[in-house]
Amino acid sequence: MKIYLILVFVIIISISNGVIAQKISCQELFRIVTENYDSKNTATCYGSSMLVKANYYRLEGMGFVVAYIKSSDYDFKGKPYIFCGISTQRWNTFKNNGMLGSWGESFHEYIRDFTCDCY
């Protein structure tokens, strides 16, 4: 299993470095990260019209955020989207700015541009 995870991350790193490689599905990447993480931290985004919550995962030294984005004001679960290459410092800044200001603005500033190269 460990070899499989290392292979997946080599593929992800190759893709992010512009090397042509086989892509991984976002669904598979989500499953791998959420089932095999080394550590996890959660931000519950109270009062946000955009986010329900965001989870930060560390796996094999890499940081991932799964953000649960609302489809409407009445959506209390949100749809999960995964973001790659998030440093612990970036995550902490997102959380601090979200709690003190706007979760949506903080998300757009610190997380949104780090979409994973998956399909």
Side-chain angles (χ1 to χ4, degrees):
M1 181 64 171
K2 201 71 155 173
I3 302 238
Y4 174 72
L5 287 174
I6 292 169
L7 177 62
V8 168
F9 286 108
V10 167
I11 292 170
I12 292 168
I13 291 168
S14 296
I15 292 169
S16 65
N17 288 334
V19 176
I20 297 175
Q22 184 179 13
K23 287 188 177 185
I24 186 171
S25 75
C26 294
Q27 193 172 35
E28 180 68 7
L29 178 60
F30 174 84
R31 187 191 65 74
I32 291 168
V33 169
T34 58
E35 291 179 4
N36 300 289
Y37 58 87
D38 299 322
S39 65
K40 176 183 173 183
N41 187 279
T42 298
T44 304
C45 305
Y46 296 115
S48 176
S49 60
M50 179 190 161
L51 294 170
V52 174
K53 68 179 178 179
N55 294 327
Y56 179 68
Y57 299 93
R58 295 286 300 170
L59 177 61
E60 302 287 328
M62 295 177 65
F64 300 87
V65 168
V66 175
Y68 291 81
I69 300 175
K70 295 180 179 182
S71 62
S72 72
D73 289 340
Y74 305 104
D75 184 357
F76 299 107
K77 286 178 62 177
K79 181 176 179 184
Y81 292 89
I82 191 163
F83 299 86
C84 298
I86 310 294
S87 68
T88 303
Q89 180 180 5
R90 181 170 289 278
W91 167 254
N92 288 331
T93 305
F94 158 74
K95 274 182 65 171
N96 291 335
N97 288 356
M99 286 187 286
L100 298 174
S102 165
W103 284 107
E105 287 177 15
S106 187
F107 173 80
H108 280 86
E109 175 102 14
Y110 298 102
I111 306 295
R112 186 177 140 273
D113 290 339
F114 288 82
T115 55
C116 302
D117 192 8
C118 54
Y119 64 91

